[in-house]
Amino acid sequence: MQTYAFGVGVQRMPAWMGASDHRNQPLPYIDIDLPDIGELSTADGLTLDFVRGSHWHGGVYGNYLWGRTHDDLGPLGGKIASLSPRFQGGGYVEYVFNTRWTVGMHASHDLNGAGSYVAAYGDWQLPNVWYIQHSLELQWQAMSGPAMRRFFGVRPAEAAAIGTIPWRPQGGGENAHLEYDAFVPTSRHTGFALAIQYGRLLGDAAGSPLVKRYGSANQWSQTLAFMVHW
C-alpha cells in the first residue's frame, strides 16, 4: 500500500561528526513509500527498486551527509577545515525474513568528492504497544580512506593550531549504532515520529585527536517531528 507522510521537526545531533557537544537542526520530515518502486525518506534516504521479490529487494540508493560549519566547530572554528554537505549515490540490497525482520547493506560514493561508504544493518519491527508502532535498528558503517581523512584527519598545520599530533587515518570501520524509532498517533492522519540513536565511533575515527581531545567516541542524536500521513 502506498503511504505518504510530511511534517516538520528538529534533530539534536553532534555539532560535528565526533563532537561531544550538540546542535539543534530544524528539518522537514518526508516519508514516501511506493511498493515496487521505492522510498524517499529524510531519515533513510532514497531507494529505487530494481529487485523486488518476496524476500530479496535491491536497487539504487542515495543519501545526504551533513558537513560542519565554522559555527558548528566552536573554538575549533578557523583552526580546522569546515566541510560542506555532500550527496551520495550507490546501491542497496535487502533480505526480508518476514514482516518483522530485515537485514541489508548499502554502498555509496560522494557525488562531488572522493569518499566512499558502506553499511550493514538489521531492522526489527517490535510488537505494537497500544497504537504505537516502533522498531530497533542496528547498523555498522565503514568509510574509505579519503572519507575518513575528510572527517577525522588532522593536517600538520591544523595540528599545530590546536596543539595535537597530525592524524592521517586509513579506511575501515567508522561507527556502529543502535536506533529506536517510534510513531505515536494523535489522530487517524497525524502523529509524532521519534528517533533516538546511540552510536560509537570505531577504529581510526575513535583514535582521531579531534575526537580524543575535543570530542567523544560516544555519539547521541534524537529526532522529534510532527507529521501528517495518509
Side-chain angles (χ1 to χ4, degrees):
M1 183 177 68
Q2 298 178 355
T3 60
Y4 302 86
F6 300 91
V8 293
V10 62
Q11 183 177 23
R12 180 170 171 80
M13 60 193 295
W16 41 273
M17 196 178 295
S20 57
D21 55 343
H22 292 76
R23 60 185 168 104
N24 295 321
Q25 179 71 47
L27 75 166
Y29 184 93
I30 301 171
D31 191 357
I32 302 172
D33 190 2
L34 304 176
D36 299 325
I37 297 176
E39 182 176 5
L40 173 63
S41 166
T42 48
D44 298 318
L46 169 71
T47 58
L48 295 175
D49 296 343
F50 291 102
V51 178
R52 192 75 180 187
S54 57
H55 292 286
W56 286 103
H57 301 166
V60 173
Y61 168 81
N63 213 336
Y64 179 85
L65 191 61
W66 293 103
R68 63 191 186 205
T69 67
H70 185 285
D71 291 341
D72 295 335
L73 289 166
L76 297 177
K79 298 178 181 178
I80 66 171
S82 300
L83 303 174
S84 61
R86 286 185 175 176
F87 287 97
Q88 307 166 321
Y92 89 100
V93 63
E94 285 184 346
Y95 186 83
V96 180
F97 290 96
N98 51 46
T99 57
R100 294 197 179 277
W101 283 96
T102 301
V103 297
M105 67 176 298
H106 53 75
S108 59
H109 194 282
D110 290 332
L111 297 184
N112 59 337
S116 55
Y117 314 83
V118 65
Y121 56 89
D123 185 86
W124 178 31
Q125 297 292 321
L126 300 168
N128 290 1
V129 175
W130 186 55
Y131 292 109
I132 299 174
Q133 303 169 25
H134 55 163
S135 65
L136 287 173
E137 181 182 271
L138 179 64
Q139 184 171 131
W140 172 85
Q141 300 174 156
M143 289 181 173
S144 66
M148 192 80 82
R149 288 188 285 276
R150 182 170 186 260
F151 287 101
F152 302 104
V154 183
R155 299 184 182 93
E158 294 173 330
I162 63 177
T164 66
I165 62 171
W167 188 251
R168 185 176 171 81
Q170 303 302 308
E174 173 264 331
N175 176 286
H177 71 247
L178 178 67
E179 179 171 314
Y180 172 79
D181 294 284
F183 174 69
V184 183
T186 55
S187 72
R188 183 178 178 184
H189 293 292
T190 63
F192 286 96
L194 168 71
I196 301 173
Q197 183 186 108
Y198 167 71
R200 176 77 181 182
L201 295 180
L202 307 171
D204 280 0
S208 170
L210 292 177
V211 175
K212 297 179 74 172
R213 182 165 179 177
Y214 296 99
S216 173
N218 299 305
Q219 300 281 282
W220 286 93
S221 66
Q222 303 88 31
T223 304
L224 180 64
F226 179 76
M227 53 182 263
V228 178
H229 67 94
W230 63 92

